[in-house]
């Protein structure tokens, strides 16, 4: 575009002159000066020419697209997709955990700790799944961890039923991860009960996760484990959750208090580190509006000067 700068100069030199003859009598400057007058249009013509050249030069510079690179920090990225899969069954209403020194529901403790965990996963693409009788994707994998963490606010008991479909919850997480090309794919699976709903057996789904190369870290939440032959619903199937983690190369955690849950999330942070620096993405600031604005005003000045001397 800058090669266009001399175009008007070349046009005046190479194109044929205007052959029309005007009716005005041009008085030479020396004669006009001897009579105490000067050419009234000389200054105006010179000013119009300068304004026209300024408009042309500014226009060409605007079309050339000037811009500068702004300083930018390296962007954190890990190449990992992490699906946080949380139990939303009826037993999460039990008030046997604590929060800020007060007795709290398991659900509230889980939401508080999980939100802090998700906010600390800068660099991962984090997704969120809730399961009970049914399963649904609360948030697809996203780098916007703040938005994913805020999605926990909408968790409520009964939203997707009151039973516990561990196998279906894990299966939906694997389905979402099967659509990604991340170098590392991880599921964090939390449950406070026993698989008593859904169509998928947890161990069968764990076998699929192993085939896919997906690590599953499990958290068994609740004060009581499930004894052999015990039909009490207020227990957690630690054995099954442990086997899921072992089959997939993940870690398993047994939590009975809010402090245990916080420690488990901290351990997962250490197992799956974050914030590997990637090359910074260039951020450009476009400068063309400045010469474009100058070109507009210079062109307007040219038209104004010529209209007054025409």
């Amino acid at each position: 575009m800058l090669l266009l700068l001399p175009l008007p100069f070349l046009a005046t030199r190479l194109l044929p002159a205007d052959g029309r003859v005007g009716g005005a009598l041009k008085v030479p400057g020396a004669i006009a000066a001897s009579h105490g007058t000067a050419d009234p249009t000389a200054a105006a013509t010179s000013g119009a020419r300068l304004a026209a050249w300024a408009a042309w030069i500014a226009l060409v510079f605007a079309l050339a697209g000037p811009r500068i690179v702004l300083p930018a920090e390296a962007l954190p990225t890990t190449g990992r997709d992490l699906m946080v899969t949380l139990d939303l069954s009826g037993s999460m209403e039990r008030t046997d955990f604590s929060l800020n020194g007060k007795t709290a529901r398991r659900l509230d403790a889980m939401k508080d700790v999980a939100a802090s965990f998700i906010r600390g996963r800068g660099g991962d693409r984090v997704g969120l799944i809730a399961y009970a009788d049914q399963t649904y994707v609360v948030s697809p994998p996203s780098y916007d961890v703040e938005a994913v963490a805020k999605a926990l606010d909408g968790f409520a008991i009964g939203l997707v039923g009151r039973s516990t479909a561990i196998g279906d919850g894990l299966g939906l997480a694997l389905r979402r991860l099967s659509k990604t090309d991340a170098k590392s794919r991880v599921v964090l699976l939390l449950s406070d009960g026993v698989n008593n709903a859904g169509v998928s057996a947890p161990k069968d789904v764990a076998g699929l996760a192993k085939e896919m190369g997906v690590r599953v870290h499990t958290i068994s939440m609740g004060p009581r484990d499930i004894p052999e032959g015990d039909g009490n619903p207020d227990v957690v199937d630690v054995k099954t959750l442990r086997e899921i983690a072992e089959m997939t190369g993940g870690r398993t955690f047994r939590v009975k208090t809010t402090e245990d849950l916080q420690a488990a999330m901290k351990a997962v942070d250490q197992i799956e580190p974050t914030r590997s620096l990637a090359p910074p993405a260039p951020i450009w600031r476009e400068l063309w509006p400045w010469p474009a604005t100058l070109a507009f005003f210079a062109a307007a000045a040219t038209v104004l000067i010529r209209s007054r001397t025409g």
Side-chain angles (χ1 to χ4, degrees):
M1 295 304 299
L2 295 178
L3 293 177
L4 296 177
L5 280 174
L7 186 60
F9 177 79
L10 295 176
T12 58
R13 293 294 182 270
L14 300 179
L15 294 179
D18 188 355
R20 292 175 298 176
V21 178
L25 175 64
K26 183 172 177 65
V27 178
I31 298 177
S34 65
H35 287 77
T37 60
D39 186 351
T41 62
T45 300
S46 178
R49 186 180 296 112
L50 290 175
W53 269 105
W56 172 253
I57 293 172
L59 178 62
V60 170
F61 269 96
L63 294 175
R67 59 183 181 174
I68 58 174
V69 181
L70 299 177
E73 296 181 358
L75 300 177
T77 181
T78 63
R80 180 190 299 111
D81 280 358
L82 172 63
M83 296 300 301
V84 179
T85 307
L86 302 178
D87 191 340
L88 204 55
S89 59
S91 56
M92 292 295 288
E93 278 189 314
R94 298 189 179 277
T95 56
D96 48 13
F97 272 64
S98 62
L99 193 61
N100 299 323
K102 298 181 180 179
T103 302
R105 297 184 302 170
R106 297 178 185 179
L107 174 64
D108 296 327
M110 179 189 72
K111 288 166 61 173
D112 182 76
V113 176
S116 297
F117 170 79
I118 291 172
R119 288 188 173 97
R121 300 306 302 179
D124 290 347
R125 285 207 318 163
V126 181
L128 184 60
I129 288 177
Y131 70 92
D133 289 344
Q134 306 295 325
T135 62
Y136 78 104
V137 178
V138 181
S139 176
S142 170
Y143 286 113
D144 189 354
V145 292
E146 180 64 28
V148 178
K150 287 183 177 179
L152 286 165
D153 294 339
F155 273 28
I157 302 300
L159 189 64
V160 285
R162 302 186 69 87
S163 299
T164 309
I166 298 175
D168 287 1
L170 179 56
L172 182 57
L174 296 181
R175 181 176 181 182
R176 298 298 303 191
L177 291 176
S178 68
K179 301 176 182 180
T180 73
D181 55 358
K183 297 179 181 178
S184 176
R185 295 176 293 177
V186 179
V187 176
L188 178 60
L189 174 65
L190 181 148
S191 177
D192 76 330
V194 181
N195 188 74
N196 54 17
V199 298
S200 303
K203 293 181 182 179
D204 292 341
V205 182
L208 176 60
K210 181 179 180 180
E211 293 178 6
M212 294 173 58
V214 177
R215 289 188 305 281
V216 183
H217 304 299
T218 61
I219 296 178
S220 306
M221 183 177 181
R224 296 187 57 196
D225 298 357
I226 177 172
E228 293 294 333
D230 190 342
N232 190 332
D234 185 25
V235 292
V236 57
D237 192 351
V238 177
K239 181 175 181 291
T240 297
L241 292 174
R242 181 185 297 114
E243 291 176 348
I244 291 173
E246 291 175 350
M247 287 179 64
T248 61
R251 287 278 303 277
T252 185
F253 304 92
R254 180 71 180 94
V255 302
K256 297 183 178 182
T257 64
T258 303
E259 290 73 21
D260 291 343
L261 182 58
Q262 292 169 340
M265 294 293 190
K266 184 177 180 179
V268 174
D269 267 333
Q270 295 173 348
I271 297 169
E272 306 288 348
T274 61
R275 297 190 181 280
S276 171
L277 293 183
I283 302 176
W284 300 93
R285 173 179 292 173
E286 301 292 342
L287 301 179
W288 65 264
W290 298 100
T293 302
L294 177 60
F296 172 80
F297 284 109
T302 302
V303 174
L304 181 60
I305 294 171
R306 289 181 175 173
S307 66
R308 289 183 175 182
T309 59

